[in-house]
Amino acid sequence: SQKIEQNSEALNIQEGKTATLTCNYTNYSPAYLQWYRQDPGRGPVFLLLIRENEKEKRKERLKVTFDTTLKQSLFHITASQPADSATYLCALVLYSGGGADGLTFGKGTHLIIQP
Amino acid sequence: KAGVTQTPRYLIKTRGQQVTLSCSPISGHRSVSWYQQTPGQGLQFLFEYFSETQRNKGNFPGRFSGRQFSNSRSEMNVSTLELGDSALYLCASSLWSQETQYFGPGTRLLVL
């Protein structure tokens, strides 16, 4: 079955280092991939969108790569800060024979930046 | 612009009851999607409405239904509540279908 996999274990990173989160997917043919941030008790907040014909996208300290051959996206936070601690979700839009399906989210990776 | 609003924020119901949740999208957004979030299953897509029509539906039983009004506001209904329906229900709006989602704060439903 089609699925999205993110590292379900918490990722502990020392402040100032680069945090790298992984999103792997199977059997999808996504047109684009999105990354969201979610804080406890709140709804997810959109961060970045990368299209299938883009290799890399940047926004301030954030960088996303998209490798459709490996079926993988990497999400980087450089110069990480404790305020970056949150759960990060990747999401794909599925396109099947019947057209676009719902936006499918991974279960997220809990990132902890330690001072 | 005001963000996505959801009411109520918290709700306690008992098994067998039914519940209606409300969502007001960002002004100008025509697509509203609903998601269920639980610790075990993560964020799962329920359905999406665009211009009052259901465009996509996730893998949930028929007890879960929704609708969208002409002003793009949306409601979600769950009938015959089960304990497993306890979750955070999130609504998200976007300009067009499947575009970047702007989420509301969610409604936390507890079924006893």
Side-chain angles (χ1 to χ4, degrees), chain A residues 73-114:
Chain A
S73 175
L74 298 179
F75 177 82
H76 307 272
I77 304 176
T78 59
S80 59
Q81 304 166 1
D84 296 325
S85 298
T87 297
Y88 291 86
L89 306 160
C90 70
L92 296 170
V93 175
L94 308 183
Y95 285 87
S96 62
D101 296 327
L103 188 63
T104 302
F105 283 81
K107 291 190 177 182
T109 297
H110 184 42
L111 176 65
I112 301 169
I113 306 300
Q114 297 174 334

Side-chain angles (χ1 to χ4, degrees), chain B residues 13 36 46 85 100:
Chain B
K13 291 284 187 179
Q36 181 196 67
L46 281 158
D85 296 334
T100 298

Side-chain angles (χ1 to χ4, degrees), chain A residues 32 34 36 38 41-46 49 51 89 93 95 100-103 105-107, chain B residues 9 35 37 40-43 45 55-56 88 90 97-105 108:
Chain A
Y32 51 85
Q34 303 180 40
Y36 290 78
Q38 187 173 24
R42 294 173 175 262
V45 174
F46 170 75
L49 180 152
R51 301 188 184 280
L89 306 160
V93 175
Y95 285 87
D101 296 327
L103 188 63
F105 283 81
K107 291 190 177 182
Chain B
R9 292 293 312 279
Y35 298 85
Q37 188 171 36
Q41 297 299 318
L43 200 60
F45 172 75
R55 294 203 61 171
N56 299 292
L88 179 67
L90 291 158
S97 179
Q98 309 299 337
E99 291 287 323
T100 298
Q101 305 276 290
Y102 294 86
F103 284 84
R108 187 162 294 281

Side-chain angles (χ1 to χ4, degrees), chain A residues 54-93:
Chain A
E54 298 175 315
K55 294 286 187 190
E56 182 179 296
K57 201 80 167 280
R58 291 176 184 262
K59 179 183 175 182
E60 298 173 352
R61 294 185 295 112
L62 308 180
K63 184 179 84 171
V64 171
T65 62
F66 193 14
D67 189 325
T68 55
T69 301
L70 292 179
K71 296 186 185 294
Q72 180 181 81
S73 175
L74 298 179
F75 177 82
H76 307 272
I77 304 176
T78 59
S80 59
Q81 304 166 1
D84 296 325
S85 298
T87 297
Y88 291 86
L89 306 160
C90 70
L92 296 170
V93 175

